[in-house]
Amino acid sequence: MPFEIPENWAWVRFGELVQFVIGKTPSRHNPTFWGPGIPWVSIADMSGNERIISTKESITPKAVTTVFRNSVSPAGTLIMSFKLTVGRVSFLDFDAVHNEAIISIFPYYDPQTIGNYLYMILPTVSCWGDTKDAIKGKTLNSTSINNLMIPLPPLNEQQRIVKRLNQLLPLCESLE
């Protein structure tokens, strides 16, 4: 374990806490996949903002059906990059799909509380994963994502942590 945690907390594997879905990139050689329709998120769209309010590209309903088998992540879903810029997180402000360097995260219980807590800790915790070197940076695979160790406090403590961090982080940013 990376460090000691309070007795009422638990170390859990990410895969025991959430279901995650890896995205896809429709073929760029098929023009019927790219165009107006469903927003398609790339890591560039996750430029450090808490919420994704727009994307540079969209895919057609045909691509959603053919490539994504009608699996679209709903608004409010927490997403995380696990390739190149490992641990970048954002919430979707709209229904969307994303590329294969990003996962959609679906907590098994209390999605809002756990989602907000994961948003705060995943940028750090994901760095503890068993990353592999890739041509353009680090990457996690499905097994290493599943096995990420998460320090999990009780739900009410998660809420207090998120509330306190939301108060303190703007103060820290103003010091920079």
Side-chain angles (χ1 to χ4, degrees):
M1 302 306 146
F3 53 84
E4 272 190 52
I5 55 175
E7 283 185 23
N8 63 337
W9 291 32
W11 283 106
V12 298
R13 296 193 190 286
F14 188 66
E16 296 169 347
L17 185 61
V18 304
Q19 175 187 11
F20 64 89
V21 177
I22 297 173
K24 300 175 183 165
T25 298
S27 171
R28 297 273 183 188
H29 299 295
N30 188 337
T32 66
F33 287 165
W34 296 92
I38 301 292
W40 180 80
V41 180
S42 71
I43 294 174
D45 297 316
M46 300 173 69
S47 59
N49 298 324
E50 178 180 349
R51 307 202 77 73
I52 296 179
I53 58 172
S54 66
T55 60
K56 292 174 185 66
E57 297 181 279
S58 296
I59 61 169
T60 63
K62 179 179 179 179
V64 171
T65 302
T66 306
V67 178
F68 290 89
R69 294 190 177 114
N70 294 317
S71 179
V72 176
S73 296
T77 299
L78 176 63
I79 61 174
M80 179 184 85
S81 63
F82 66 97
K83 293 182 179 179
L84 309 178
T85 53
V86 174
R88 188 176 285 178
V89 291
S90 296
F91 287 100
L92 296 174
D93 256 7
F94 41 77
D95 297 352
V97 293
H98 49 77
N99 72 18
E100 68 282 349
I102 300 170
I103 58 172
S104 287
I105 300 169
F106 302 101
Y108 289 125
Y109 63 96
D110 204 335
Q112 183 173 3
T113 299
I114 292 176
N116 288 332
Y117 176 71
L118 289 173
Y119 173 81
M120 294 293 186
I121 68 162
L122 278 174
T124 300
V125 175
S126 61
C127 296
W128 302 338
D130 184 19
T131 59
K132 306 291 183 218
D133 288 328
I135 293 171
K136 295 182 180 178
K138 299 281 186 188
T139 185
L140 296 168
N141 62 28
S142 293
T143 301
S144 56
I145 294 170
N146 262 316
N147 289 328
L148 281 174
M149 295 303 293
I150 306 292
L152 190 67
L155 287 173
N156 61 347
E157 184 71 11
Q158 291 176 44
Q159 292 167 336
R160 284 195 298 273
I161 290 168
V162 168
K163 183 178 179 181
R164 191 69 175 140
L165 285 173
N166 281 332
Q167 293 169 341
L168 294 175
L169 289 176
L171 296 173
C172 293
E173 289 171 9
S174 70
L175 295 175
E176 294 177 3

